[in-house]
Amino acid sequence: MSKVFVITGPSGVGKGTLIARLLERVPGLELSISATTREPREGEVDGRDYHFLAPDEFDRRIAAEDFIEFATYSGHRYGTLRSEVRNRLEEGHSVVLEIEVQGARQVRAAMRESVQVFIAPPDPASLRRRLESRGTDSLEAIDARLEVAEQEMAAQGEFAHTVVNDDLDRAADELEGIVRAEIGIPLDSGANDQTTR
Ligand code: ADP
Ligand code: 5GP
């Protein structure tokens, strides 16, 4: 059964890392590529990591009602294009959205059947450690993200599922279990299930 999965949680918690594992493990699951007005980081590719849009182009797409949801995060705009989700669902795939909390709320309102998962850190200090070790953001950008993280953590109770990303392997197994249960694919039926558990 095709479903929309919303994966949210504070910056640096490990959403991207967990989703990369999830996509390797669960057949038929695809990531929606978001649009953003922020600058590409080193190594990011337009159309693969994000659709990088100029602010006026983002505005044009808002006016055209091209977005399912959009939000401002840390001074930049981010949004999910309807076409990203619709095309994948029409092809029979399930879709993962990796988005922040305001966007997750909008998707919850627009698509009540979406499955909402909050990824939480084992403790607040791990967020700073992980953002610093990732090495993609300036100290100012990290501080700004951690400020937003406090508000995001307060929203945890709104989500149907919470996965604490303490040990990566354990958290990846738990997230995979949630997704497989929702899609109705048991653990032993995927082509990619050759890892030892
Ligand atoms: P997000 O997408 O939520 O911003 P990332 O997936 O980029 O977070 O992860 C942030 C950093 O934390 C990365 O360097 C990643 O390798 C690391 N990381 C992810 N999960 C864990 C974990 N369970 N334990 C320790 N480090 C982790
Ligand atoms: P980053 O700049 O680290 O790539 O992303 C910053 C934040 O924006 C993260 O919390 C990420 O999940 C969120 N984000 C990415 N794409 C979207 C989107 O399409 N919509 C919303 N609302 N948030 C997004």
Side-chain angles (χ1 to χ4, degrees):
M1 199 200 312
S2 298
K3 291 219 166 169
V4 172
F5 294 91
V6 174
I7 313 280
T8 194
S11 187
V13 75
K15 298 182 296 296
T17 308
L18 285 168
I19 289 170
R21 289 202 174 194
L22 188 65
L23 296 172
E24 279 174 13
R25 291 177 178 195
V26 181
L29 195 60
E30 295 201 346
L31 183 67
S32 160
I33 311 298
S34 294
T36 184
T37 60
R38 87 153 160 71
E39 291 294 313
R41 294 182 182 128
E42 210 179 311
E44 284 185 330
V45 175
D46 186 34
R48 183 192 72 188
D49 299 290
Y50 278 105
H51 300 290
F52 293 100
L53 302 184
D56 57 349
E57 175 64 5
F58 201 100
D59 286 340
R60 195 190 65 72
R61 305 293 297 259
I62 293 174
E65 300 190 353
D66 284 349
F67 290 109
I68 295 175
E69 60 76 31
F70 62 92
T72 299
Y73 174 94
S74 215
H76 300 288
R77 276 178 296 161
Y78 296 80
T80 304
L81 292 163
R82 286 183 202 286
S83 55
E84 285 284 324
V85 175
R86 191 179 47 219
N87 294 346
R88 290 178 170 82
L89 289 176
E90 280 174 6
E91 287 162 4
H93 298 292
S94 286
V95 188
V96 175
L97 310 186
E98 195 228 295
I99 63 179
E100 51 69 73
V101 163
Q102 304 165 75
R105 289 190 181 118
Q106 294 171 43
V107 177
R108 198 184 306 147
M111 309 175 84
R112 294 178 62 86
E113 68 288 2
S114 64
V115 180
Q116 301 240 334
V117 184
F118 189 91
I119 312 293
D123 53 79
S126 60
L127 288 181
R128 179 178 289 280
R129 266 199 315 275
R130 288 179 190 178
L131 283 172
E132 286 176 357
S133 76
R134 188 170 74 184
T136 54
D137 298 278
S138 66
L139 284 180
E140 293 75 29
I142 289 176
D143 284 341
R145 281 161 185 262
L146 290 174
E147 226 167 89
V148 180
E150 283 187 30
Q151 299 157 28
E152 293 187 310
M153 289 301 296
Q156 187 176 328
E158 296 173 22
F159 291 84
H161 303 273
T162 295
V163 173
V164 178
N165 185 16
D166 39 19
D167 175 73
L168 182 58
D169 290 332
R170 192 211 62 74
D173 284 349
E174 186 180 346
L175 183 60
E176 181 184 358
I178 291 168
V179 169
R180 283 184 182 268
E182 289 285 348
I183 306 180
I185 307 178
L187 253 182
D188 58 355
S189 73
N192 298 325
D193 287 342
Q194 284 144 9
T195 40
T196 312
R197 282 164 203 285

